[in-house]
Every structure is written in C-alpha cells, then in structure tokens.
Amino acid sequence: MSDVLELVEARLRMTLGEPDARAAITFLGTDRIEVLRFVDGDVLRYATLGMSAQPMADPTAVVADPHRGPRAELLISVRGGRADTDKVLRPLAVLAASPQVEGVVVAPGASLDVGEPLWPGAPFTSVLVGAAGGLVEDLELGEERDPVRFLPLLPMTPNEAAWKRVHGAEALQARWLERGTDLRDPQRAGVALD
C-alpha cells in the first residue's frame, strides 16, 4: 500500500512540481487521505493522495480482490485569488474516501455530490469526473495491479448536474466547450442550458 502511494506522490511531483501545502484527513474506518496543493502560475491544483492505496471494488462483489480493480486519485484545478478554494480540502477528501466508505467506483462521466459548497460561496456542490490521462499520465503498477488513473474533477452547478443526469456527461462537456466556459473559475456562473 505505501509503495503505491510513494509512486503516486512521485508522479504528482514529477508532473506538477513540489506541493506548497498538504493536509491529511482520516474518516472513521478509512485509511488516511492527504490533499496536496500545487501552484502553477495563477492556477491552484489540488490532488488527493491515498485513494489509490487500495483498488476500488465492485459493490456487488462478495470478496474484494486486494490487487485487481481500478485505482485513482482526484485532481481539481481552480484560479487562485478569487475565492477561498483551500476549503476544498475536506470535500475533496470526502470524495476520495467514497470508495472505502460507500463502495463507489469513481469513473469518468460520473457525478459526485458533497451536498454543500465545495468552498465558501461556491456555486458548486458537485463535480463531473473527467477522463484520465490529460494533466497527469496514468501510473502503471505492473501486470498484477491496475494502473493508477488521475481523474480531473470539473465543478458543476446544481442546474448543470441536473441537465447532465438527463443528457449525459458528453453533452454537458460539449455545451461547456461550445460556450467557452472557464471551468477553472471558482465563481463562474452556470452555462446556459436552453
């Protein structure tokens, strides 16, 4: 377990540089989840560390395989200085702990909701899980274990989340692209969905 997390942290440092802050949260009955903050110009990147220690298990499986199964860490990128986005640490850790707590398998296209603003004053309570391989390349762990995927989280307003449930993740992402939506703006308004 610790060897996986060491490799994950090394991959994050190699890709994003040295973290300028880190925090750790432990929820009852779960392994510790850390959140690292990286500064890239005016963009703050928050990455989880700990979610990939164990593979995510199918909640319907009778016995979880300790080696096989998807592994992931979560990333969220926002423009700094526009909101107190450091408060995203706890919601991000909650989302990273959800496979252990709720048996959720986090995968691209999924919606995850924390039930409260991601940071003070944020118009977002949920995120869309984006495709891996963009910002941080997958981390191969060898033949016996699935790779660690670094999944970007895209904040959604409640209206966007509802629209996504009806039309799907691809349609929402296409709408964001068509309208030139700045998904890193921590105070952006929801995209027009008419």
Side-chain angles (χ1 to χ4, degrees):
M1 178 172 87
S2 64
D3 65 321
V4 171
L5 297 184
E6 287 172 13
L7 293 170
V8 167
E9 185 168 357
R11 173 60 53 92
L12 288 169
R13 287 172 183 267
M14 182 180 76
T15 306
L16 303 175
E18 288 299 311
D20 76 326
R22 68 191 305 148
I25 297 178
T26 304
F27 302 99
L28 186 62
T30 68
D31 294 328
R32 177 173 134 148
I33 302 288
E34 289 188 78
V35 178
L36 284 60
R37 184 180 73 181
F38 300 87
V39 178
D40 182 10
D42 71 334
V43 175
L44 300 175
R45 301 190 194 282
Y46 300 91
T48 63
L49 179 63
M51 182 178 170
S52 63
Q54 302 294 331
M56 292 180 274
D58 179 346
T60 62
V62 177
V63 178
D65 187 325
H67 301 291
R68 301 299 301 175
R71 293 176 190 257
E73 295 292 352
L74 307 176
L75 299 161
I76 191 165
S77 300
V78 293
R79 297 202 185 285
R82 299 183 185 178
D84 186 10
T85 56
D86 282 348
K87 299 286 195 251
V88 77
L89 300 176
R90 183 168 178 75
L92 195 53
V94 167
L95 295 176
S98 63
Q100 290 182 57
V101 175
E102 301 171 21
V104 173
V105 176
V106 178
S111 299
L112 303 173
D113 195 312
V114 294
E116 61 184 37
L118 294 176
W119 49 81
F124 320 106
T125 61
S126 62
V127 294
L128 173 64
V129 181
L135 183 62
V136 181
E137 189 178 321
D138 293 350
L139 175 64
E140 296 295 334
L141 297 176
E143 289 182 21
E144 72 283 356
R145 297 186 286 189
D146 289 16
V148 176
R149 303 200 186 288
F150 297 88
L151 302 172
L153 301 181
L154 310 171
M156 293 189 293
T157 65
N159 284 345
E160 290 169 341
W163 197 84
K164 181 259 177 193
R165 280 192 294 278
V166 173
H167 299 282
E170 287 182 18
L172 178 59
Q173 290 177 305
R175 182 62 56 101
W176 282 335
L177 191 58
E178 289 166 11
R179 304 292 167 98
T181 306
D182 181 3
L183 296 175
R184 295 178 182 168
D185 182 348
Q187 296 179 325
R188 73 170 177 85
V191 70
L193 299 170
D194 50 5

